[in-house]
Amino acid sequence: MKWKLTVRYLFSVLSIVFIVIFVNLFLLIGILFYQRIDGNDSLSAETGENFTRQFSRHMSIENGQPVISDEGVQALRKFGGWLQVLDKNGNVVTNVLAPKDAPAHYSPIELVHIYKYMDDQFTTYYIGEIEEYSYLLGVKNPAEQRIIFVFNSKSFISYMSKALVGITIADLLIAMIIGLLFSIIITKPVSYIIDWISQLKERNFTVQKMKRQGIFKPVFSNLNSVSETLQAQEEERMKLEKMREEWISNVSHDLKTPLASIQGFAELLREQDVADSERMDYAGVIERKSIYMKELLDDFNLTMRLRNQEMPLNREDTRLESFVRELVIDLLNDSKYSDHAISFESNAQNVMWTFDRHLMKRAIMNFINNAIIHNDNNTEITVSVTKTGITIEDNGKGIAKEDIDQIFNRYYRGSNTENIQGTGLGLAISKDIIEAHGGRITLTSDIGKGTKVEILLG
């Protein structure tokens, strides 16, 4: 994969270089051709050759003698040149602005020499004609210079073809070397990124580290963030999968026990010699086990609906102090709790909260029942209302540290819950109810000192 990317990138670089070379070549040929067919364009309008060819318009023949107009004289001054008009024999018949030491006669060889080369005064000469006269236009120290060279067109074309091929090959080789080095630098992290994505596809969420990240540093940073997120989600998924398996196992176990009792006592009821009093006892056992199974399934359904946010909340504005006080009074009036020391305290008389009264009552009762059934009868339980929430505190046995982190998990039973009846979903349901209202729960406990639960609503 790495070399495939490198070859593709190198091919792209070479293609671009090749295209640029030929585009530049065609542009150069086009510009030269355009200048060739349009000699009056802005690039060549002020050259000496062009000025000399067009200067004849400022000249005329009067009485057989050449005459230069005033406009021609002004044009010569502006161009920075001077003019000599020659007859057929090379004699100067008239001049304009010519230097005093300018020759009065030119032989053919002298004309050829000064046209090809500058004279000793670094003057460049241009030659024009009007009828039977010729004229020399000289410019001292001009900006342009004449270069004379002779070449064979066939040899020149052959040489230029070879040169073009050589330059193209050299440019492509240079581009290939640079492109190869650059593509290796670029494709190495790209290949690494592709391999990394493949690892993520295979559910390998290990965070990777690369020393030279270059321009791909944000990409590697984002991939690391994705790996960390996916790894956390995978751990959560595994945790939930383990919990689900435990739930199924616990539900199956909890259902098998009462089902076995129901089946056994139902078989006893079919016996003919069973006394009526025994039949009533058997029927009572079957009823209790049936009620337990119904409560277990109801609790399981409730906690699943709360976790999946499918449970509608009938929120009401409620004065928190009176709500909790009534709940404690109902407990004290219940014969099951008459032997327990349950007290109520409040320093927030006017605190109003909006919540589902039925669900909140169940959540608070679960915490109080938990404090009652897991402690001795002489344990003191205090239910308090503050401006920030509700506190349920006892001075009982306490909870072991290894149990605190898992106490809100479904079906979890701590080390001090032997022979305790229940569905194992009470505290998990309470936590789900509080969180469904946007609140949170904090639990602190010390062995031998007691447990404190704080319900903080949003």
Side-chain angles (χ1 to χ4, degrees), residues 46 48 79 118 122 124 126 139-146:
E46 296 300 323
F79 191 73
M118 291 182 178
F122 300 102
T124 298
Y126 304 93
V139 182
K140 191 173 182 179
N141 297 318
E144 60 179 358
Q145 297 182 359
R146 181 182 293 113

Side-chain angles (χ1 to χ4, degrees), residues 12-82:
S12 300
V13 172
L14 294 178
S15 299
I16 293 172
V17 172
F18 191 76
I19 293 171
V20 169
I21 290 175
F22 277 90
V23 168
N24 290 337
L25 180 62
F26 286 128
L27 287 176
L28 178 61
I29 294 174
I31 292 173
L32 292 176
F33 181 76
Y34 178 75
Q35 284 188 273
R36 181 72 177 270
I37 63 175
D38 187 6
N40 295 324
D41 62 280
S42 60
L43 293 175
S44 60
E46 296 300 323
T47 62
E49 293 287 353
N50 192 48
F51 181 80
T52 302
R53 286 196 299 269
Q54 296 181 4
F55 191 79
S56 59
R57 63 186 178 182
H58 299 296
M59 301 175 64
S60 61
I61 304 297
E62 297 179 4
N63 300 322
Q65 295 294 322
V67 178
I68 300 170
S69 66
D70 293 337
E71 290 82 2
V73 176
Q74 294 299 324
L76 278 173
R77 291 182 185 278
K78 185 176 180 181
F79 191 73
W82 50 270

